[in-house]
Amino acid sequence: MDFKAISDRGLVLLGCGKMGSAMLAGWLKGGLAPGSVHVIDPHPSEWLAGTGVSVNGPLPAAPAVVVVAVKPQMMGAALPQLAAMGAGETLFVSIAAGTTLATYAEILGPRAPVVRAMPNTPAAIGRGITAIIGNARASAADLGLAEGLLAAVGQVVRLEEESQMDAVTAVSGSGPAYVFHLIETLAAAGVAEGLAPDLAMRLAKATVGGAGQLAEEAAEDPAQLRVNVTSPGGTTAAALAVLMDPEAGFPALLPRAVKAAADRGRELGK
């Protein structure tokens, strides 16, 4: 993306943990001038020292963008210090889970354009996916700017309503943890069948990683890919009979898990 507008007025990154660091690395690699970036973080990581960005220094009065990347429980203490930037000239992009657009309006005032986003942890390797939704003050240009910034760490999709964010959080935001647990349990099952732990884990990681990439790149949908690898009466069919059981398999288990995550997201947003 063209970083000129940001470079001229500056970008403030509030919080530079794993997700903030991943985004910052993507922006710098994409050509954002380090001198235009202002990081606020009480415990900055050592790698920031070599990037050329400003860390915990003076801030521009009206930067082009403020990216809020602190944990939700830190929001109450962190965001009010930027309330003076809520006059309408600065776009706020938030990746804080559970913090609603209404909450931003209460803290920043009604004139601040805000884009709420939900990325996920594969952003750390540029393979994330982020869903975004803007408030009434966010223009098409604001949404485009937010999308360009978030595209530095993966794909970006736009939502029609903020209420969809809880489902997004439950599917893609929390989803990597479900996949990591699948890898854990698949490897453990291999050990139970006689494989050495290191070999079982290597097989599980490569299988899940490769299958995920194939699912993204193949012309067929995942259901057809499943059929392609399943011979009638074969080994895969035997396993799928267990995993696809309507009462105890994935069709029953995953909806329960996703609903639990979505319900918790709604609770946190109140």
Side-chain angles (χ1 to χ4, degrees):
M1 66 174 291
D2 184 1
F3 287 111
K4 185 178 186 308
I6 295 176
S7 296
D8 290 345
R9 294 175 51 198
L11 179 150
V12 174
L13 178 58
L14 181 60
C16 197
K18 291 182 180 179
M19 192 65 71
S21 294
M23 291 190 297
L24 177 57
W27 300 333
L28 296 176
K29 184 178 180 180
L32 179 61
S36 65
V37 179
H38 306 266
V39 172
I40 305 173
D41 194 298
H43 306 290
S45 58
E46 293 182 2
W47 83 273
L48 284 172
T51 62
V53 306
S54 170
V55 180
N56 295 327
L59 301 178
V65 186
V66 170
V67 178
V68 182
V70 297
K71 295 184 181 299
Q73 57 267 35
M74 300 171 61
M75 189 70 68
L79 195 57
Q81 63 184 301
L82 303 180
M85 298 177 184
E89 299 179 47
T90 297
L91 169 65
F92 286 79
V93 178
S94 168
I95 65 168
T99 305
T100 65
L101 294 172
T103 298
Y104 282 99
E106 291 175 4
I107 298 173
L108 301 172
R111 292 186 293 174
V114 181
V115 174
R116 183 181 172 191
M118 172 49 63
N120 61 4
T121 55
I125 58 168
R127 292 293 305 276
I129 187 165
T130 303
I132 64 173
I133 186 76
N135 66 359
R137 298 289 299 182
S139 66
D142 290 329
L143 286 167
L145 178 55
E147 185 169 343
L149 287 170
L150 294 162
V153 292
Q155 302 177 54
V156 182
V157 296
R158 299 190 185 191
L159 303 181
E160 296 178 358
E161 299 177 358
E162 187 182 10
S163 60
Q164 296 173 308
M165 193 63 79
D166 293 311
V168 168
T169 302
V171 172
S172 61
S174 300
Y178 316 156
V179 177
F180 300 148
H181 187 52
L182 171 62
I183 293 172
E184 287 181 285
T185 54
L186 184 57
V191 172
E193 290 298 321
L195 296 176
D198 288 351
L199 175 58
M201 182 58 73
R202 183 176 178 183
L203 289 169
K205 285 180 177 180
T207 298
V208 172
Q213 186 166 355
L214 178 60
E216 277 203 305
E217 297 181 3
E220 300 97 330
D221 64 23
Q224 184 58 50
L225 292 174
R226 170 179 52 78
V227 171
N228 293 348
V229 76
T230 307
S231 300
T235 58
T236 306
L240 287 175
V242 176
L243 295 176
M244 298 177 70
D245 184 282
E247 294 184 0
F250 284 173
L253 189 61
L254 280 178
R256 285 172 50 205
V258 170
K259 185 178 187 304
D263 288 347
R264 181 56 178 158
R266 295 182 187 102
E267 292 174 1
L268 292 173
K270 291 180 180 178

